[in-house]
Structures are given as C-alpha cells and as structure tokens.
Amino acid sequence: MAKSGTTTQGLRAAIERSGYYPALVAEAVEAAVGGEPISSYLVHQETTFDSNEVRRHVTVLVLTGNRFIVSHTDEQAADAGSPSPYATTSTESVKLAGISSVVLSRVVANPESYTPGTLPREVVLTIGWGAVSRIDLEPAACGDPNCDSDHGYTGNSTADDLSLRVSEAGDGPEAVRQTLLFAQALSEATAATAAGSGTAR
C-alpha cells in the first residue's frame, strides 16, 4: 500500500489508513517535519514473513521545500531483551542539496506494445545521499593469461541509502502511481536545488 499527497492533514490520514501504529508513526514524522509545508509524501507499508512470524514495516517519505525526510517503523517480537513485543521507529532528515541520486527503475510487460502513460508492472525507487555506501571489490587482472602478478583489487562504490519496491500485483496500481508521483516530485526538487546552487556561485 502506498499513499501520496501534499498536505499535513493528508499525510496524517494516509498514516492512519495504513493501520500500522498510526499514533507512533505520525508523532515521529510530524516532529521531524516541524512546521515546514509539505510538498509531497509517500506512505508505504510492506509485510514480510520470517519463519513462522509475520512482520510489518512502514516507510514514510516526506518532501518539504528544503528537506527530504525518511521514517522507518518496524515491529519486533518479544525476545530476551524485551518480554513483550515492541516497535522501533526512526527518522532521518536530509537537505535536498545532499541527495546525490534519485533512481527510478520501471518494469513493464510486453514492451513491444508499450503505450506512453501505461503504469509499469513494478517500480523500484532508490535514493542516495551518502549515509550508506556499498563497495563491491574483485581481484584485478591484466590481459595476459599467463600473468600471475598481484594486480590488487578493482571495484565500485554505490550509494544505496533507501530502496523501495512497489509492485502492481503486491501493492496495487494506485501504489505504483503514487510512487511515480513522489519520485517525480523529488527529482524535480533536487534538480531545482542543484540549479539554485549553481546560480549562487
């Protein structure tokens, strides 16, 4: 399920409709947003199955004029450290100028007959701002098949702070549409911020 919009009241209503500890999630998100007007938001809930347990997770993304706010809330079963089930919620606030990449991957069926405007079967929204980087390394080699010298390692670094997958089959077509709208709003906001920074120099 994904819900999107542009008002504080709409954000709270979307969080409440998700049915996932709405008072807890709304309080954390609204505290992070403060008094800033909301440009766009996305509320996405996903359910995972871990052995015999069902676990839910909700992600709330909020775009304001200056910041991108991401909130995660997870529920945990009772364990050795806690005799009762509990939930963990976290929020992170990122300046729009700090966002390094907004990647939107689309999966479409029957691409040979694709019509512009048709919803993808699924989308994956990946946003990077440098908090988490993944480094993939492999041994370096030269073109000589007989060479046994140590050439060190080669690899690449990938920013992967947030990755959100939404599918028509699992979340419904409206969820896919709302994710596309939020991704577009975020891309436009980061582009405008980058253009403004270039002008200021």
Side-chain angles (χ1 to χ4, degrees):
M1 173 189 350
K3 298 293 181 185
S4 180
T6 58
T7 67
T8 303
Q9 294 83 0
L11 172 59
R12 178 174 274 277
I15 290 171
E16 289 175 355
R17 279 194 303 273
S18 77
Y20 185 83
Y21 307 122
L24 173 65
V25 175
E27 181 180 55
V29 172
E30 289 171 1
V33 171
E36 282 192 77
I38 294 172
S39 304
S40 185
Y41 63 80
L42 181 67
V43 178
H44 180 256
Q45 181 186 316
E46 55 188 330
T47 302
T48 58
F49 299 91
D50 183 12
S51 297
N52 295 326
E53 295 180 358
V54 177
R55 292 189 178 178
R56 295 178 297 166
H57 174 93
V58 67
T59 302
V60 181
L61 309 180
V62 180
L63 177 63
T64 72
N66 301 304
R67 297 181 298 149
F68 166 68
I69 296 161
V70 57
S71 173
H72 295 288
T73 303
D74 291 284
E75 62 183 358
Q76 305 291 336
D79 54 29
S82 175
S84 59
Y86 61 97
T88 304
T89 186
S90 64
T91 57
E92 183 173 0
S93 175
V94 183
K95 290 182 180 179
L96 287 178
I99 295 179
S100 55
S101 65
V102 179
V103 181
L104 184 67
S105 301
R106 303 168 187 241
V107 178
V108 298
N110 304 313
E112 70 282 355
S113 58
Y114 176 77
T115 303
T118 302
L119 282 179
R121 189 171 64 192
E122 72 176 57
V123 294
V124 179
L125 174 60
T126 305
I127 305 167
W129 58 90
V132 177
S133 293
R134 184 179 68 249
I135 299 177
D136 297 316
L137 294 176
E138 61 183 27
C142 67
D144 182 357
N146 298 317
C147 178
D148 59 359
S149 298
D150 183 357
H151 294 286
Y153 289 87
T154 184
N156 55 59
S157 175
T158 307
D160 193 13
D161 296 298
L162 173 73
S163 188
L164 193 68
R165 177 182 174 271
V166 180
S167 70
E168 186 177 26
D171 304 289
E174 187 60 23
V176 174
R177 182 178 292 106
Q178 299 300 342
T179 304
L180 291 171
L181 289 172
F182 183 84
Q184 181 177 349
L186 181 59
S187 292
E188 290 173 353
T190 54
T193 299
S197 298
T199 304
R201 285 177 188 164

